[in-house]
Amino acid sequence: MSKASNNLLNEVARWQYSELSQERLKGSDATLKVPLLHPGGSSVTRSMKRVATSAIECAVAHWFMIPGLQFQRFRVRFEIRSLFGKKRLPAAARSLVLNGAPDPSSYLGFHFASQFLNSGTLGNYLDVSSPWLFPFALLSHSEAAHVTLLTAKATALRSLAHDMKAQIQKEIDCVAINARLEDESYDTITSLWNPNEKPGQSIRNVRSLKRVLKPGGTLLLSMPCTRQLTEATSLNGERIYDAHALERYVFDVLGQPKRYAIYGAQGQQFGDTAYCIANDYAADRCISSSVVGRNWRSYSSLQELPGVGVIVMKFVRRESELEAASIQLKPHLN
């Protein structure tokens, strides 16, 4: 890449970081703030800047050919529609669309999940606390018999689902995180880690996810991971897992994953455990698409990670607990 291109990407990253930092210094939760859109007012300008930022992120992602480009394009088209479409979104849904952009590193997990889901139908589909963009983009081109979103943003997503009914052509139930779900009632479950939220560990408890998954059903799960933990720690209320913790808290419950992928930065600057403990992952750090494109890569084992990364896994619930596990892939995590 030329020096001029590198300088341009650095300038874009600095501008994005400056814009986001100003919003965070105001002490508001960007995903919940509802802008008052007055013609010609500053709120319109801020909304236009956010759409411009998304378009730039998408262009940079294409420049580096980062996995998950279809989700990047869906996000930009949807943001443009929310501003200029004939039918205006409700304020809460519009705020979520414009201000609740996923972390650029999340698109790596989106790509893996979309690759290894059933190509025919999702059946009864449940998403648990993934970044909102993932289930909506997935449902725009995938069939499902019934859809449930278990999320802390149930109200805003309910408005969004109602507006997208014609495009998705299916009913979506958006329920609060304390809702009780029936045992063995879902064919497909996705639960992708969202570094921009603090849902706590209970909503993504693997025993609860297994309980509602049908025998033979598919679970796509992602979580922050690292080479080795010296003590229990977390990012945004979510446990960080090393190989030992994955075996103890995940694989002992769900069995070995059928497939998995590990993503992480190539340097300590985006994966140093001490830094993550001392600083809030989402609020104090801006990981732009240019950073992901230049510094992130996939790893074959956790021992190769220089710091904190993300592991994405596909599980298939055994038809019976006595089913032999010898045919399952044993992850080479060490």
Side-chain angles (χ1 to χ4, degrees):
M1 187 183 299
S2 69
K3 183 177 180 181
S5 298
N6 234 350
N7 290 339
L8 174 61
L9 290 174
N10 287 332
E11 287 299 319
V12 169
R14 277 195 289 271
W15 175 70
Q16 290 171 315
Y17 182 80
S18 176
E19 288 291 322
L20 292 170
S21 296
Q22 289 179 21
E23 293 293 330
R24 288 163 183 154
L25 287 173
K26 296 175 183 177
S28 61
D29 184 345
T31 61
L32 296 179
K33 184 175 67 176
V34 180
L36 300 176
L37 299 180
H38 298 294
S42 60
S43 293
V44 174
T45 302
R46 287 196 298 271
S47 297
M48 292 293 291
K49 283 185 177 181
R50 293 186 187 103
V51 174
T53 299
S54 297
I56 293 171
E57 287 280 3
C58 185
V60 172
H62 277 75
W63 180 295
F64 287 106
M65 296 302 293
I66 298 173
L69 294 177
Q70 71 272 31
F71 292 92
Q72 294 267 13
R73 292 191 290 267
F74 181 91
R75 168 189 160 196
V76 174
R77 289 195 301 267
F78 199 56
E79 288 183 349
I80 292 173
R81 178 189 165 198
S82 72
L83 279 181
F84 304 109
K86 294 180 180 179
K87 185 178 179 182
R88 292 284 296 278
L89 289 172
R94 186 169 64 248
S95 177
L96 183 67
V97 171
L98 294 175
N99 304 317
D103 186 283
S105 62
S106 297
Y107 292 95
L108 301 173
F110 293 179
H111 173 75
F112 175 93
S114 62
Q115 270 192 316
F116 296 112
L117 285 173
N118 191 325
S119 58
T121 177
L122 302 175
N124 286 341
Y125 171 54
L126 169 68
D127 180 83
V128 180
S129 195
S130 298
W132 71 270
L133 181 69
F134 175 73
F136 279 92
L138 179 69
L139 291 167
S140 68
H141 60 78
S142 298
E143 292 296 323
H146 184 268
V147 180
T148 303
L149 305 184
L150 186 68
T151 171
K153 294 183 172 62
T155 301
L157 288 181
R158 201 172 290 123
S159 299
L160 192 58
H162 182 268
D163 181 76
M164 291 188 67
K165 188 175 179 180
Q167 181 177 347
I168 295 178
Q169 296 183 344
K170 54 182 68 71
E171 292 286 345
I172 299 179
D173 290 335
C174 301
V175 296
I177 57 176
N178 59 351
R180 171 71 182 181
L181 302 177
E182 296 295 326
D183 292 358
E184 299 183 359
S185 52
Y186 294 97
D187 302 283
T188 306
I189 300 176
T190 56
S191 184
L192 303 181
W193 177 52
N194 187 351
N196 293 326
E197 291 187 17
K198 299 181 180 181
Q201 295 185 42
S202 59
I203 187 175
R204 283 167 27 92
N205 181 281
V206 293
R207 294 187 184 278
S208 298
L209 296 177
K210 180 182 178 181
R211 178 182 63 80
V212 299
L213 183 64
K214 291 181 179 180
T218 299
L219 167 64
L220 269 296
L221 180 67
S222 73
M223 50 192 55
C225 61
T226 189
R227 179 174 58 236
Q228 184 176 10
L229 291 174
T230 56
E231 60 182 16
T233 186
S234 65
L235 290 176
N236 285 18
E238 183 100 5
R239 177 192 296 273
I240 303 176
Y241 294 80
D242 61 5
H244 175 71
L246 282 170
E247 287 285 355
R248 180 179 178 184
Y249 299 110
V250 181
F251 302 158
D252 282 354
V253 177
L254 299 173
Q256 300 295 333
K258 293 288 188 181
R259 296 180 181 272
Y260 71 97
I262 300 170
Y263 303 104
Q266 299 183 58
Q268 288 284 341
Q269 66 269 31
F270 295 102
D272 182 79
T273 303
Y275 184 89
C276 291
I277 295 171
N279 299 276
D280 182 86
Y281 185 88
D284 294 338
R285 221 183 294 188
C286 174
I287 301 180
S288 68
S289 289
S290 61
V291 171
V292 173
R294 286 181 294 188
N295 295 330
W296 282 58
R297 52 161 290 205
S298 61
Y299 294 88
S300 60
S301 74
L302 292 182
Q303 293 306 309
E304 297 178 4
L305 275 174
V308 174
V310 180
I311 182 168
V312 194
M313 299 162 286
K314 175 184 178 178
F315 297 92
V316 175
R317 181 173 175 180
R318 295 193 291 268
E319 295 289 347
S320 72
E321 295 303 319
L322 299 178
E323 181 182 325
S326 59
I327 61 171
Q328 296 184 339
L329 172 67
K330 180 73 172 179
H332 182 63
L333 299 176
N334 293 305

